[in-house]
């Protein structure tokens, strides 16, 4: 066999190996990359990408034998809900969110003032379920660590304020900045009185990590598969047509509350705005 033929066969084999490697890589990407749904949004937010669960990798799966320490005041089945607002409010907004999720950030930036106003007037209670889809899809621990830190803030009675600070300072979803606990502790300084020794220990020790994992497991069994998932009195209202707006949310709540007394109005302190880092 000539040297040229041998080289030709070697090249063909190498090309075949490279093709197979590319195909395997493509299949891996297909299994692990985020599938997206485009949701029409308004008020300057534009098209929003909903993050869809494709797998449950890092940050999900409660660790057997590890206590799932629920944060103070958690409610619902398995104490997996963090409630904000009057317990006797006539309407309930249920939100499944991931602190690394860009679509959740877009939702929060559009709806936060309206949600706070409805909470503070006793018209609505918000029930948060914390999810770790981005950790599972892209790797890292930012969703888990941020959710644990938010649960630690709930222990301190400052969940709402810290929740908003996390979204105000959300990094690019490819940047696992929330995986750095020092970042989460630094952001706590934007909430007056939050960064105490107890909060710092709770964040560093991952006190509520297994509780967050249980919350994510429950989301995986819920029949919902993307964040944010938003329900008003049990009915999905975000991502449907027509698109939900702050005004339409207020109208939906007003219609649902007709003839019902408002809940006990509770004003939750919100931190003075600090420059985003």
């Amino acid at each position: 066999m000539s040297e040229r033929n041998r080289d030709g066969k070697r090249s063909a084999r190498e090309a075949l190996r490279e093709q197979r490697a590319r195909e395997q890589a493509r299949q891996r990407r297909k299994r692990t990359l985020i599938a997206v749904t485009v949701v029409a949004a308004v008020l300057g937010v534009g098209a929003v990408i909903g993050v869809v669960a494709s797998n449950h990798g890092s940050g999900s799966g409660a660790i057997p034998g590890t206590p799932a320490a629920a944060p103070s005041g958690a409610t619902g089945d398995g104490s997996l809900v963090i409630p904000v607002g009057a317990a006797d409010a006539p309407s309930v907004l249920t939100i499944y969110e991931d602190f690394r999720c860009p679509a959740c950030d877009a939702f929060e930036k559009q709806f936060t003032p309206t949600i706070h106003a409805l909470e503070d007037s006793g018209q609505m209670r918000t029930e948060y379920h914390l999810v770790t889809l981005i950790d599972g899809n892209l790797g890292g621990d930012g969703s888990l660590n941020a959710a644990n830190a938010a649960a630690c803030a709930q222990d301190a009675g400052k969940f709402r304020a810290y929740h908003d600070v996390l979204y105000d300072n959300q990094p690019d979803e490819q940047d696992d900045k929330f995986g750095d606990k020092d970042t989460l502790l630094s952001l706590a300084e934007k909430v007056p009185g939050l960064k105490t020794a107890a909060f710092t220990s709770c964040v560093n020790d991952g006190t509520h990590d297994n509780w967050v994992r249980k919350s994510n497991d429950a989301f995986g069994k819920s029949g919902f598969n993307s964040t944010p998932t938003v329900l008003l009195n049990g009915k999905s209202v975000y991502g449907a047509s027509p698109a939900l707006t702050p005004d339409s949310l207020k109208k939906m709540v007003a219609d649902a509350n007709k003839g019902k007394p408002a809940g006990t109005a509770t004003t939750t302190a919100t931190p003075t705005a600090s420059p985003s880092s």
Side-chain angles (χ1 to χ4, degrees):
M1 181 181 295
S2 70
E3 188 68 27
R4 179 178 300 176
N5 286 341
R6 281 196 296 271
D7 290 343
K9 290 191 175 184
R10 262 199 311 270
S11 297
R13 285 195 298 268
E14 289 169 359
L16 181 59
R17 280 197 298 268
E18 290 173 0
Q19 181 180 348
R20 287 174 176 169
R22 285 194 297 270
E23 178 63 22
Q24 289 169 352
R26 188 185 70 81
Q27 290 297 329
R28 285 195 297 272
R29 289 194 299 271
K30 184 178 180 180
R31 288 193 299 267
T32 59
L33 283 180
I34 301 169
V36 294
T37 57
V38 179
V39 179
V42 294
L43 299 181
V45 173
V48 178
I49 304 300
V51 178
V52 180
S54 64
N55 62 52
H56 296 280
S58 173
S60 71
I63 299 174
T66 303
S72 175
T75 62
D77 187 16
S79 297
L80 297 177
V81 173
I82 293 182
V84 177
D88 57 349
S91 282
V92 178
L93 189 73
T94 302
I95 303 178
Y96 293 84
E97 286 188 324
D98 182 330
F99 287 109
R100 288 180 71 187
C101 163
C104 299
D105 180 53
F107 171 81
E108 287 295 337
K109 283 182 168 53
Q110 185 181 12
F111 287 92
T112 287
T114 299
I115 290 172
H116 286 349
L118 291 169
E119 290 167 348
D120 294 344
S121 64
Q123 299 298 310
M124 184 183 79
R125 177 176 77 257
T126 307
E127 297 188 342
Y128 288 94
H129 298 252
L130 306 185
V131 182
T132 61
L133 293 186
I134 303 295
D135 286 359
N137 287 327
L138 296 182
D141 299 303
S143 301
L144 174 65
N145 290 352
N148 171 68
C152 296
Q154 170 69 9
D155 288 336
K158 297 179 182 292
F159 171 82
R160 188 173 97 168
Y162 188 61
H163 166 278
D164 293 352
V165 165
L166 289 175
Y167 279 112
D168 285 344
N169 294 272
Q170 186 191 73
D172 183 274
E173 75 178 310
Q174 299 286 341
D175 178 2
D176 191 29
K177 191 173 182 180
F178 286 168
D180 178 7
K181 293 181 179 181
D182 286 340
T183 295
L184 299 170
L185 292 171
S186 177
L187 290 175
E189 295 173 358
K190 296 177 181 288
V191 180
L194 177 57
K195 194 179 177 185
T196 62
F199 176 81
T200 299
S201 176
C202 184
V203 171
N204 284 331
D205 294 345
T207 298
H208 300 298
D209 279 359
N210 217 37
W211 175 83
V212 174
R213 292 184 178 104
K214 281 189 68 176
S215 178
N216 192 62
D217 287 349
F219 175 72
K221 298 171 184 175
S222 69
F224 304 118
N225 63 2
S226 65
T227 55
T229 289
V230 183
L231 315 173
L232 179 63
N233 298 323
K235 179 182 177 181
S236 180
V237 293
Y238 188 67
S241 181
L244 185 70
T245 68
D247 284 342
S248 64
L249 176 60
K250 286 188 284 189
K251 185 177 186 306
M252 287 179 185
V253 171
D255 289 345
N257 290 357
K258 281 181 181 176
K260 301 175 184 177
T264 306
T266 56
T267 301
T268 305
T270 300
T272 302
S274 301
S276 298
S277 57

